[in-house]
Every structure is written in C-alpha cells, then in structure tokens.
Amino acid sequence: MKVSLTVNGRRHDVDVAPNTLLVDVLRGRLGLTGTHVGCDTSQCGACTVHLDGRSVKSCTVLAAQVDGAAVTTIEGIGSPDALHPMQAAFRDCHALQCGFCTPGMIMSAIDLVQNVENLDERKVREGLEGNLCRCTGYHNIVKAVLNAAESM
Amino acid sequence: MYSFEYHRPESIAQATALRAEAEDAIYLAGGQTLIPTLKQRLAAPSDVIDLSRVPGLAGIELKSDCVVIGAMTRHAEVAASAEVARAIPALAFLAGEIGDAQVRNRGTLGGSVANSDPSADYPAAVIGLGATIVTDRRRIAADDFFHDLFETALEAGELLTAIEFPIAKRAAYCKFPNPASRYAVVGVFAADFGGKVRVGVTGAGPCAFRATAIEAALGKKLDAKSVDAVEIEYDRFNSDLHASAEYRANLVRVMAKRAVEKLLTA
Ligand SMILES: Cc1cc2nc3c(=O)[nH]c(=O)nc-3n(C[C@H](O)[C@H](O)[C@H](O)COP(=O)(O)OP(=O)(O)OC[C@H]3O[C@@H](n4cnc5c(N)ncnc54)[C@H](O)[C@@H]3O)c2cc1C
Ligand code: FES
Ligand code: FES
C-alpha cells in the first residue's frame, strides 16, 4: 500500500506492506538510523519520534497509521554544527554514555519541555518513564532536561 | 507480524460493515496493546480496521450530570482536559497515571476498556463511577460490561463508540503500579455520590469488579477505617510473578483506604 508522510519537513511516498512498522520505514527506507530499536516490545523508548508533535514509540505504530502525518526524528531537530538546546544540554551535563538511548531520550524530553508546565525534577523523572537507560543512572539526564528547559 | 489487509474506514457504518464482511477482522485504535500482540504473533487477524479516521469517535463533552468521552480519545487528552479536571478530577488523574507519556499519546479509552486487561486502569473508573458504555448498537451498564480476563459484553464486531461517566460529588483513584510497566498490580477507584458510595477494583481479579463489601462498610461510615473490618475474599484473585492473590487482597484494602482518604480531602 502507498503511504505518504512528511519526515523532518520532507515529504516521502513509500510503498509498504500493511504490517510494516513506522520505525522500519524510518530506518530501512529513509536511512534515518538515528532512531534506535532497543527492545522492540514497546518498553524502552529508544525508538521515540514525534508524530504530529507528540512523542510516540515508532516500534508500536504502523506506517499505514501515519499516512498524511508529520514525523520528526532525531535527525530533524539539530545538526552537528547547530545542536538543538536539548542535545547541547545532554552534552554539557554528560547525560549520555553509550548513547544508545539518547535519541529517544531527547525526543521524549523535547515533548516534555514543550507540553508540561513548571517542570521540576519529579515531573522530569515521571515524564521519562517510557525511556530506559542502562548506563547513566538517569541523574545527569534529569539535570540536562531541566537545564534545556531554561534555554528552550 | 503475520500479514493482514489494512483498512481505514471513514464512518462507523463502514467500519462495522468491513468487520462483518472480513474473515477474521480486528479493530485498531491506538495500537498500544494490539500492535505488541501482533508483533508477538499472539493474534493473526485477516484484516485490521483502523478507527483513527472515523469522525465523531474522539472528543470530550461535559454535560450537566456526566462527562462523555469518545472511544478514540487518547489517554493524554483525558489527562490534560480542563473539562474532565473540573468535573471528575480523579478520572483525569487516572488517565495521567497510565503507562508512560508515549503510551498515553497513542492509547485510547475505547481500546483500554474493550480490551479489559486485568491490570488496566480505566476499568476501575468505569466500575467506580457506574459509567455507561455506548456502542454502535446499544448502551451497556458498567456492572454488566466486564465478564472475565480480556472478556467483555461486547459482541463480535460491536464497536465501542463512547463512555458516559456520571459526575460524582467526589472521587479518588489509588493504584499500586508495577514498577516496570506502570500497569496496576491493584488499583481502586472510589466515588461518593452523596451517601451512595461505589468502589471499582482493577488488577486484583480476572477483570475489574465492584467491591460491594467495601461499599457497604463505607455506606455506613465514609471513613478509611471502615475498610479495616471488611473481609477481602481472594479465591478468584490473580496470582502471578508480580504478586500472590493474598498480597493482592492486602493491596485492595490498602489502596481502598488511601482512595477514601484522598476522596475525603478532595
Ligand atoms: C509500555 C506500556 C505500558 C502500559 N501501561 C498501562 C497502564 O499502566 N495502565 C493501563 O491501563 N494500560 C497500560 N497500557 C495499555 C494502554 O493503555 C493501551 O493503550 C490500551 O490498553 C489499549 O488501547 P489502544 O487504544 O492502544 O487499543 P488497541 O491496542 O488499538 O486495541 C486493543 C483492543 O481493543 C479493541 N478495540 C479498540 N478500540 C475499540 C473500539 N472502539 N470498539 C471495540 N473494540 C475496540 C481492539 O480490537 C483490540 O482488541 C500500556 C501499554 C504499553 C505498551
Ligand atoms: S524499541 Fe520501541 S520501545 Fe523499545
Ligand atoms: S547512555 Fe547507554 S543506554 Fe543510555
């Protein structure tokens, strides 16, 4: 079936089987491998992207469901020369070690900062419940999100 | 995932017709339960009918005595709704406690209630508030809706369209979440309708149910201490790696007491 979607501002028309996942279109078809697959069972959040502005787990969305929608991936928010404030805060606060969870963390954190008022440590921890990190112990991630919230 | 045909109907009539014509079709709402199920090959429908473009299935309407929430309304919308927060704050709170942010951005009220997962949150509120489930063909009282593990009163192909939640004088929800999934190990929704108290329990049994013994005790005296004397029967409670039936019985008592305390200060 034909699916047309806008990814990071560019429109793409792809022909996919109905059981194709959004994450497989992003990674396999469009080469946007910044979106990671950690668990493939809807638990870890490494595959988080924005669908019409809100964070979703792209391993738990069918490509067919996003026909006509706008998707933003980690590649769409900043560049190595001009990091998004959230990316800069992650770097400054040492909020990543292996980096595997980072794209998903950053996409979730941006949604959180944009949609939750008066962020504090508790709200950040709750807001990132859908993202697992096996390296950092979360403290510096929380610090980075609170720092970025001030500059965003 | 096994292969299937995908459909995106644009009316309730089209959706139910597709469901009736196909060999073994299934409705797709937010997909936060169905897609993981398909990925694990625990289901093999011939056709998947995506409800997301059916007009009129999503939205929140505040009426004088109830809040009507469309089946396709996402958990995040209920959690953030000013209307729900004003009329039934406990319901907005409950929606905000479901899973995680990404799940709440996709998952829907209809999907959660139609699925009747034993640890889902919404069923506790449906029972606790004595809601009415509206489908494409009839209205079903909450007390008649949940039948068993993943089993409801919905007939083959019956489409849940909305749920009407009566506005209680005050209400509260308390859950003991599984630390990994956030699903309720036990959740208790208590509602006071001015003398008449309803208590809905999720997580403990095969499906959500009314805790009538607790209701009777609270009917005599609306106080958390009233719950202490109630015997919680747990013969049919779930026992799994998360909690034994006996432990769940204790959680029902503790969550009920906390819900009552919260309700009294609401
Ligand atoms: C990581 C994770 C954590 C979660 N944590 C929680 C939690 O803490 N608490 C909780 O309650 N839930 C939790 N959930 C489940 C989540 O709330 C789901 O969104 C919900 O159970 C199903 O809703 P859905 O819209 O995604 O339905 P879908 O997955 O699309 O559908 C579920 C079932 O309902 C049927 N269905 C859907 N809509 C209708 C309709 N209108 N009429 C008739 N049948 C219909 C479908 O055919 C399917 O069988 C979690 C899920 C995940 C992935
Ligand atoms: S890969 Fe999607 S949630 Fe883990
Ligand atoms: S930095 Fe390694 S998993 Fe988070």
Side-chain angles (χ1 to χ4, degrees):
Chain A
M1 62 179 291
K2 297 244 185 301
V3 171
S4 55
L5 68 170
T6 304
V7 181
N8 301 332
R10 266 187 63 194
R11 192 187 143 142
H12 297 272
D13 296 292
V14 289
D15 199 1
V16 296
N19 62 357
T20 308
L21 297 168
L22 172 59
V23 70
D24 292 329
V25 169
L26 296 174
R27 291 177 54 87
R29 295 293 187 90
L30 308 181
L32 296 169
T33 52
T35 301
H36 293 165
V37 177
C39 64
D40 206 18
T41 55
S42 318
Q43 328 249 339
C44 75
C47 63
T48 302
V49 300
H50 292 175
L51 176 55
D52 291 330
R54 298 308 301 263
S55 60
V56 303
K57 294 172 181 169
S58 62
C59 77
T60 315
V61 176
L62 297 175
Q65 290 176 289
V66 305
D67 189 29
V71 174
T72 307
T73 69
I74 189 74
E75 289 89 347
I77 59 160
S79 67
D81 311 324
L83 294 180
H84 184 281
M86 191 62 76
Q87 292 173 308
F90 267 61
R91 188 181 60 185
D92 295 345
C93 297
H94 192 59
L96 61 146
Q97 289 177 21
C98 80
F100 193 84
C101 71
T102 313
M105 281 289 177
I106 288 180
M107 298 313 284
S108 285
I110 293 173
D111 178 339
L112 187 65
V113 171
Q114 284 171 346
N115 290 293
V116 177
E117 282 163 22
N118 306 319
L119 271 189
D120 56 20
E121 185 190 331
R122 190 183 56 81
K123 286 184 186 172
V124 172
R125 287 187 187 277
E126 281 176 7
L128 294 180
E129 251 157 22
N131 293 78
L132 303 181
C133 175
R134 295 294 80 174
C135 302
T136 63
Y138 302 99
H139 290 298
N140 288 352
I141 292 177
V142 176
K143 226 187 277 171
V145 177
L146 289 170
N147 275 13
E150 279 173 22
S151 56
M152 266 171 72
Chain B
M1 237 186 293
Y2 294 111
S3 59
F4 50 76
E5 294 289 320
Y6 171 86
H7 309 271
R8 199 185 293 136
E10 285 175 11
S11 71
I12 291 175
Q14 249 183 39
T16 51
L18 279 165
R19 177 73 173 71
E21 284 156 21
E23 189 188 321
D24 180 22
I26 195 160
Y27 295 128
L28 170 66
Q32 300 303 288
T33 293
L34 183 56
I35 294 173
T37 308
L38 293 173
K39 285 168 74 173
Q40 291 177 72
R41 296 195 163 184
L42 294 173
S46 61
D47 297 72
V48 168
I49 303 167
D50 183 354
L51 301 175
S52 64
R53 314 283 165 100
V54 175
L57 285 185
I60 297 168
E61 194 191 344
L62 183 57
K63 296 202 173 166
S64 61
D65 59 347
C66 68
V67 180
V68 188
I69 307 183
M72 285 299 291
T73 313
R74 316 263 178 203
H75 308 328
E77 290 168 59
V78 176
S81 158
E83 282 98 346
V84 180
R86 210 173 331 121
I88 316 175
L91 187 60
F93 170 79
L94 175 149
E97 293 275 290
I98 296 174
D100 52 55
Q102 295 97 313
V103 167
R104 293 193 293 274
N105 283 337
R106 295 296 292 164
T108 68
L109 171 65
S112 173
V113 173
N115 194 46
S116 183
D117 186 295
S119 358
D121 292 294
Y122 269 129
V126 169
I127 295 276
L129 290 165
T132 302
I133 291 96
V134 186
T135 77
D136 61 315
R137 52 194 87 156
R138 61 191 168 134
R139 298 164 57 80
I140 308 168
D143 292 349
D144 302 326
F145 187 79
F146 299 104
H147 285 182
D148 207 339
L149 201 68
F150 301 108
E151 266 181 46
T152 67
L154 291 176
E155 293 162 358
E158 189 166 10
L159 182 73
L160 200 165
T161 57
I163 300 183
E164 299 172 3
F165 292 96
I167 299 173
K169 204 174 120 202
R170 47 195 175 167
Y173 180 62
C174 274
K175 85 159 155 176
F176 187 83
N178 175 303
S181 71
R182 320 307 293 174
Y183 270 105
V185 180
V186 165
V188 175
F189 194 103
D192 172 19
F193 288 90
K196 198 170 139 261
V197 181
R198 287 184 62 106
V199 177
V201 177
T202 192
C207 61
F209 63 90
R210 270 178 85 175
T212 44
I214 298 178
E215 287 179 3
L218 294 173
K220 283 188 201 127
K221 188 161 193 278
L222 188 47
D223 186 295
K225 286 201 188 74
S226 306
V227 182
D228 283 327
V230 180
E231 201 184 322
I232 316 272
E233 298 208 9
Y234 56 86
D235 298 352
R236 290 200 66 221
F237 276 15
N238 309 326
S239 221
D240 52 30
L241 79 165
H242 306 301
S244 66
E246 198 177 0
Y247 182 63
R248 281 190 162 89
N250 187 56
L251 279 181
V252 169
R253 183 188 313 285
V254 174
M255 292 303 121
K257 289 178 74 171
R258 287 190 192 165
V260 172
E261 273 161 18
K262 204 168 156 190
L263 172 150
L264 289 171
T265 53

